[in-house]
Amino acid sequence: MDHGVEDLLRELAPQVLGALVRRYGVFDACEDAVQESLLAAALQWPAEGMPDSPRGWLITVASRKLVDQVRSEQARRRREDRIALATPQAELLSRAADADPGTDRDDSLALLFLCCHPALSAPSRIALTLRAVGGLTTAQIAAAFLVPEATMAQRISRAKQTIKTSGTPLRMPEAADHAERLGAVLHVLYLIFNEGYTATDGADLTAPALSAEAIRLTRMLHRLLPDDGEAAGLLALMLLTDARRPARTGPDGDLVPLAEQERGRWDRRLIAEGIELISQTLPRGQVGPYQLQAAIAAVHDEAEHVDATDWPQILVLYGLLEQVAPNPMVTLNRAVAVAMVHGPAAGLALLADLESDRRMARHHRLLSTRAHLLELLGEHDGAADAYRDAARRTTSAPERRHLASRSARLAAGRS
Amino acid sequence: MKYVAMIYGNQAKWDSFPAEAWPEAIARQEAFNAKYRETGELLGAYGLADAANAKLVRREGGAPAVTDGPYLETKEYIASFYLFDCESEERAQQIAADMPFADVEPVELWPVLHGSAADM
């Protein structure tokens, strides 16, 4: 499909679905109707040209599909539910073209909130968001998460059923729920981004790379809520992280750690945009974990060379992050910063605290961090063993090869 | 007839494999996979994670009871397995012998009697 058409369709998908759900209320039926209208547009527009009002066209077609659905349902059941049909066709169609930007805004946002419904599990929220807001097909989502299409179809239809039985209407949550629901939305976007970023390569996906999709949706969220610091922070974090993607893997698909990346291959445009965004956002107050992580990413990205990295500033930021959102991974990262500022021995001392947590002690990230700090300390035997243990623990093949080769290199130097 | 082919190994063997040789080994394995996927005989090829991640799962009082694997006292464990659909056993043996690692490690070949997956 033409990229311009595809982009436009995916941009319009949440607006059209939002408009339909607001009007007719039945989420699952509306969603099917919108998918059909998107498909029709994808087939017709490139051949017959773009309609004057693409959004109005989609709403009209989707409304018609919805009415058809209701009608065939009725034909089968032969009774009741005349509500949708009772709406004069002319009214459906005439309202379709009314492009009220304020309504569009709230519809898209309310749709995101609806897809991140508290009654849904995280995987269901992700799947539903990608389908309803992102406009991806079930097959694309299934391919991206490496599950059979039938499994994903089931997950999505169960999610829609859950929303249906919960009876939540499409409207903005009450102020009290707003912050919590926004937190869930941000988390889902973050998970989608990470899924795309951790996968070795987007080349295998039939879906557009998931991180690109996460960035697109987060941009939309940031446009809808320009004053929300965490939405801005998350977008900045994604841009600053994604900027390093071209340098993250070597020619064999092997992992290249941050310190060894060829920084000339980083995407300067994304870095500039991310830095600008986080610099504007941070001073506005109410600093949250996404903003802090974005700030840390910005400090890394700003360094022309790994030795130019401003580690004291990173250490301060990790200290703040640990206060705002403490978790063992943050402590682990802070240990690296401590080592860079106060020496590897200080970093190792901090790691020792984490090692008392049995689950954490066997985590490959803890093992590889310890290996790295031991290497810095010149304890090559211990480092080689720790790298080997880390290699055995990781379940990512490129990471395993990377860690195993570090272990082998150090072991070869043993006398 | 379907066949499952398995390659076994142990930690010492993997450790002795030079790290810089992996890219070539992977390329050879990929070429093998592509070749038999093309003929329609290879249904799936799966490499397993390190034995350190293997778990033993039992059911005790209706709940899963999980301990470290691989199977107690196992010195050698499965590194990867392949599912083939072949005309004859001879053909399956031919393919198994064509595996890049077959000159280093024997390949265990078992006929598959039952299947319940929808795509089998």
Side-chain angles (χ1 to χ4, degrees):
Chain A
M1 196 194 334
D2 185 324
H3 268 295
V5 171
E6 191 176 336
D7 290 348
L8 178 64
L9 287 178
R10 296 175 64 232
E11 185 74 40
L12 292 174
Q15 295 179 23
V16 174
L17 180 55
L20 247 73
V21 175
R22 183 165 48 83
R23 217 170 275 170
Y24 306 111
V26 270
F27 181 80
D28 51 352
C30 289
E31 213 259 337
D32 289 341
V34 171
Q35 290 287 334
E36 284 188 51
S37 76
L38 292 173
L39 189 64
L43 294 172
Q44 283 181 33
W45 294 1
E48 297 165 20
M50 202 82 87
D52 293 336
S53 162
R55 182 181 160 281
W57 189 98
L58 286 170
I59 293 179
T60 305
V61 171
S63 299
R64 226 180 258 149
K65 301 264 184 203
L66 184 66
V67 170
D68 286 350
Q69 270 177 36
V70 174
R71 202 172 264 157
S72 69
E73 194 100 321
Q74 277 190 330
R76 232 184 308 129
R77 293 185 192 170
R78 295 200 155 248
R79 59 185 189 91
E80 79 171 56
D81 221 346
R82 298 200 161 263
I83 302 149
L85 279 178
T87 311
Q89 188 92 339
E91 192 190 329
L92 294 180
L93 303 186
S94 66
R95 270 214 260 153
D98 67 344
D100 173 355
T103 311
D104 281 351
R105 191 196 102 104
D106 288 347
D107 283 348
S108 298
L109 193 55
L111 195 59
L112 257 177
F113 279 117
L114 189 67
C115 292
C116 298
H117 198 282
L120 299 175
S121 68
S124 298
R125 289 178 188 182
I126 291 172
L128 200 58
T129 303
L130 284 174
R131 182 159 151 125
V133 191
L136 300 194
T137 65
T138 305
Q140 285 175 318
I141 302 169
F145 287 94
L146 303 174
V147 298
E149 191 178 342
T151 307
M152 190 51 83
Q154 239 174 27
R155 184 179 294 168
I156 290 174
S157 78
R158 268 202 308 266
K160 288 196 275 189
Q161 194 58 37
T162 305
I163 285 188
K164 192 176 174 182
T165 47
S166 78
T168 314
L170 184 82
R171 59 176 165 73
M172 295 300 287
E174 301 296 328
D177 292 338
H178 193 281
E180 196 189 325
R181 293 292 283 279
L182 181 60
V185 169
L186 292 170
H187 188 60
V188 161
L189 296 173
Y190 181 69
L191 292 177
I192 295 172
F193 178 81
N194 280 339
E195 185 64 33
Y197 195 69
T198 335
T200 43
D201 199 321
D204 290 340
L205 300 184
T206 56
L210 281 178
S211 23
E213 179 59 17
I215 290 176
R216 193 181 73 83
L217 295 178
T218 310
R219 268 189 204 286
M220 180 185 100
L221 184 68
H222 174 57
R223 259 204 320 274
L224 297 172
L225 299 173
D227 296 329
D228 187 87
E230 280 294 87
L234 180 60
L235 179 56
L237 173 61
M238 288 180 182
L239 297 171
L240 291 164
T241 310
D242 207 46
R244 299 183 208 134
R245 179 194 294 275
R248 272 183 88 231
T249 41
D252 301 318
D254 281 353
L255 193 84
V256 183
L258 180 60
E260 290 163 26
Q261 287 173 16
E262 207 183 297
R263 294 179 180 225
R265 294 173 65 201
W266 287 357
D267 187 328
R268 291 287 140 199
R269 198 181 48 81
L270 287 181
I271 291 176
E273 189 188 350
I275 287 179
E276 157 115 21
L277 185 57
I278 193 62
S279 315
Q280 283 173 359
T281 309
L282 269 180
R284 291 209 310 245
Q286 198 62 47
V287 174
Y290 293 119
Q291 291 171 69
L292 287 168
Q293 290 180 74
I296 292 165
V299 177
H300 279 299
D301 287 7
E302 271 171 337
E304 293 288 335
H305 185 266
V306 61
D307 296 333
T309 308
D310 186 349
W311 285 106
Q313 200 186 342
I314 290 177
L315 181 54
V316 169
L317 290 167
Y318 271 121
L320 287 171
L321 186 56
E322 211 172 17
Q323 282 171 24
V324 176
N327 79 48
M329 279 302 165
V330 173
T331 310
L332 191 59
N333 288 326
R334 189 164 68 86
V336 175
V338 165
M340 300 310 284
V341 176
H342 301 298
L348 281 167
L350 189 53
L351 283 190
D353 293 343
L354 281 176
E355 281 158 13
S356 55
D357 180 341
R358 187 170 168 272
R359 282 184 60 102
M360 196 61 202
R362 299 163 66 152
H363 197 285
H364 69 93
R365 286 278 298 281
L366 177 64
L367 293 165
S368 63
T369 305
R370 182 165 60 205
H372 177 61
L373 297 185
L374 286 170
E375 187 181 357
L376 288 179
L377 215 53
E379 292 187 16
H380 287 182
D381 284 2
D385 290 346
Y387 275 128
R388 202 200 58 225
D389 285 350
R392 298 189 59 193
R393 285 280 163 200
T394 179
T395 47
S396 145
E399 194 164 69
R400 174 155 77 173
R401 291 199 298 276
H402 167 72
L403 293 167
S405 82
R406 297 217 128 187
S407 172
R409 214 174 54 206
L410 286 173
R414 277 180 201 179
S415 49
Chain B
M1 189 73 174
K2 290 193 179 63
Y3 292 87
V4 64
M6 294 171 284
I7 297 177
Y8 282 67
N10 61 42
Q11 196 55 44
K13 272 180 198 155
W14 308 138
D15 285 350
S16 68
F17 195 79
E20 61 277 10
W22 275 116
E24 202 213 318
I26 291 165
R28 280 168 57 210
Q29 189 59 49
E30 280 302 318
F32 170 88
N33 292 346
K35 180 175 166 190
Y36 291 102
R37 218 172 253 134
E38 197 98 319
T39 66
E41 289 167 308
L42 176 64
L43 302 181
Y46 306 89
L48 303 190
D50 191 277
N53 294 312
K55 298 282 185 285
L56 292 177
V57 182
R58 294 180 180 81
R59 192 175 63 246
E60 281 171 18
V66 183
T67 51
D68 280 350
Y71 217 84
L72 299 173
E73 306 301 320
T74 304
K75 295 286 185 284
E76 301 235 323
Y77 45 82
I78 301 178
S80 53
F81 66 93
Y82 307 78
L83 190 61
F84 294 103
D85 193 357
C86 301
E87 286 283 321
S88 64
E89 185 167 14
E90 288 67 37
R91 175 63 180 164
Q93 290 167 358
Q94 216 174 45
I95 295 174
D98 195 28
M99 280 199 195
F101 274 97
D103 55 353
V104 185
E105 284 298 320
V107 179
E108 203 167 284
L109 190 66
W110 294 61
V112 176
L113 291 190
H114 310 282
S116 74
D119 57 353
M120 285 176 80

